[in-house]
Amino acid sequence: MELTCPKCNQNTAIESSFEVKSFGCSHCNSFFTYNNSKLKFEKAYDYVPKDTTLKIGTKGIIDGETYEIVGLIIKRAHAIYYWREYTLMSKSGKVKYLSETDGHWILLEEIPVSYDVSRKYKKLTHDEISYNLYEYTDAFVARVYGFYEFEISGRPVKMVEYINPPYIISIEEFDKDDATYLGKHISSSEVKKIFNVSQLPSKSGVGLVQPFLFNIYNTLLVFVSFAILILATYIFFNIGRTEKNVLYTSLNFDEYKNKEFISPSFELKGSPAPLIVSASSDVNNSWANAQVSLVNEATNEEEYAQKDIEYYSGYTDGESWTEGSTSTTFNFCGVAQGKYHLVIIPSKQDTDTSNQTMNITAVWNESSVWNFMLSLVFLGGIFAIIFFLKKNFEQRRWENSDFTPYTE
């Protein structure tokens, strides 16, 4: 099917064939009605859009069937809000609609249902899915391209939209007639693939039914599952876990001045676990130091650590103060089974004559919930971030709606 515009002599052709009632020239701004094989000029539109990207006659495959773009209507609401509605027709006569706003796409089909929306109901249920009222306004035609099998009027059409991303129910009422459309968000990459094009309008803002990157409910289920798995792992590795006290001793500073203390050998059996060393001393406005080496007797490998014990107190400007502690704790992480001994060198501040000893304890395989709790905190933090981003995403979606559920 081909028509030549009487105003600019531009030909517009499509392969689809149907009775044409309205025609908009793709080259100029002229709009015609078609009757008795004649084009009748109706008006010239004032609105001049940017490049429409998808041209009349472009073909694409949707659900295994080839569709052709036979028409495009650019609509306007609230004086400044514009969007594009492409009409797609297959060889078998099926019709779909592709809506684009600010680079966001929705694929729609007319459905044989009718809803009473005269009272601006805040919710609508279709196929057991609840939709929220987003828009209730009049829509005007700003520009027409291509072929239409119905008369396009210049009068406004009542447009009502209910959303439950990624789905939308769109209802149009004109005079006493109404049409209901069911649509779903479609990504730009899918549109490019369908029509084999490389460029589409760039996105801006949040699309009307653009889905958030994560489904909050499914994400929560995944995080809860991970938490349960972590808990099960913790219980599995800790059930029957027996702590092994490998050393408890009190070392005299004078006796071990410039001298090493070598502990009795001890044997560890089981999966790798931390060896926790605790040191304490009666420091008072002074310091002490513990140098500890863990020696693997089979390989002679040695792990080394040292810690200061410091405690100070005083009275300054009418207030008493303290700093430090008389004890400290440190770990040798992931100590595997085997035979070991500890080498300890205690030392203290030379001017401290009252402090005589340092107490050392070492425990292997001590049960701890620290890693489990840290994992829960991490998961909870990530979920809180996703939840905040989701809320911000939805607020941006609804910011242009008079029916937003979000307060300022």
Side-chain angles (χ1 to χ4, degrees), residues 101 104-106 134 163 165 185 204-211 393 397:
T101 309
H104 301 279
W105 300 83
I106 303 173
Y134 184 92
I163 66 170
H185 170 84
S204 103
V206 175
L208 182 59
V209 287
Q210 177 188 359
F393 186 86
R397 184 201 307 280

Side-chain angles (χ1 to χ4, degrees), residues 48-100:
V48 179
K50 296 179 181 179
D51 185 12
T52 57
T53 305
L54 299 178
K55 307 298 184 183
I56 303 301
T58 302
K59 296 183 181 65
I61 298 176
I62 302 174
D63 297 332
E65 191 167 0
T66 300
Y67 284 80
E68 181 182 28
I69 298 176
V70 298
L72 164 63
I73 297 179
I74 299 178
K75 293 182 178 180
R76 170 182 60 84
H78 307 300
I80 59 171
Y81 182 69
Y82 292 86
W83 69 98
R84 313 178 193 195
E85 292 183 358
Y86 295 89
T87 299
L88 287 62
M89 183 174 290
S90 70
K91 290 183 179 180
S92 62
K94 293 180 182 178
V95 178
K96 293 182 183 291
Y97 303 91
L98 187 63
S99 174
E100 181 265 318

Side-chain angles (χ1 to χ4, degrees), residues 258-387:
N258 299 321
K259 179 182 175 183
E260 297 178 340
F261 166 80
I262 301 177
S263 76
S265 296
F266 52 88
E267 189 171 2
L268 307 178
K269 295 181 179 180
S271 59
L275 179 70
I276 302 173
V277 179
S278 300
S280 64
S281 186
D282 293 330
V283 290
N284 187 11
N285 286 317
S286 62
W287 59 266
N289 178 271
Q291 299 181 37
V292 182
S293 298
L294 175 66
V295 181
N296 186 319
E297 296 184 355
T299 64
N300 287 323
E301 292 181 351
E302 185 175 343
E303 291 186 61
Y304 172 82
Q306 72 168 342
K307 278 283 187 175
D308 288 329
I309 304 171
E310 299 177 284
Y311 180 78
Y312 298 93
S313 63
Y315 193 80
T316 305
D317 296 331
E319 294 185 359
S320 59
W321 57 270
T322 62
E323 181 180 350
S325 174
T326 59
S327 64
T328 188
T329 300
F330 52 96
N331 294 352
F332 291 99
C333 297
V335 180
Q337 65 179 6
K339 198 171 184 180
Y340 299 86
H341 67 261
L342 292 170
V343 179
I344 304 171
I345 301 176
S347 60
K348 68 170 183 174
Q349 186 173 318
D350 291 338
T351 57
D352 185 0
T353 59
S354 62
N355 187 17
Q356 298 298 318
T357 60
M358 175 181 289
N359 299 316
I360 301 287
T361 62
V363 180
W364 183 74
N365 213 20
E366 183 177 13
S367 179
S368 172
V369 298
W370 173 249
N371 289 335
F372 171 65
M373 296 304 297
L374 190 62
S375 299
L376 290 187
V377 170
F378 176 76
L379 289 176
I382 294 297
F383 183 78
I385 292 172
I386 293 175
F387 184 83

Side-chain angles (χ1 to χ4, degrees), residues 154-211:
R155 289 184 293 165
V157 175
K158 181 190 292 183
M159 182 185 70
V160 187
E161 292 177 328
Y162 289 84
I163 66 170
N164 184 338
Y167 300 102
I168 181 173
I169 295 290
S170 180
I171 301 168
E172 293 184 352
E173 291 187 351
F174 183 77
D175 292 336
K176 294 183 179 181
D177 296 325
D178 66 84
T180 303
Y181 304 89
L182 173 62
K184 183 180 180 181
H185 170 84
I186 180 172
S187 67
S188 296
S189 59
E190 289 179 279
V191 176
K192 288 180 180 179
K193 184 177 179 180
I194 288 171
F195 294 103
N196 194 26
V197 294
S198 58
Q199 299 234 339
L200 291 174
S202 58
K203 292 181 183 179
S204 103
V206 175
L208 182 59
V209 287
Q210 177 188 359

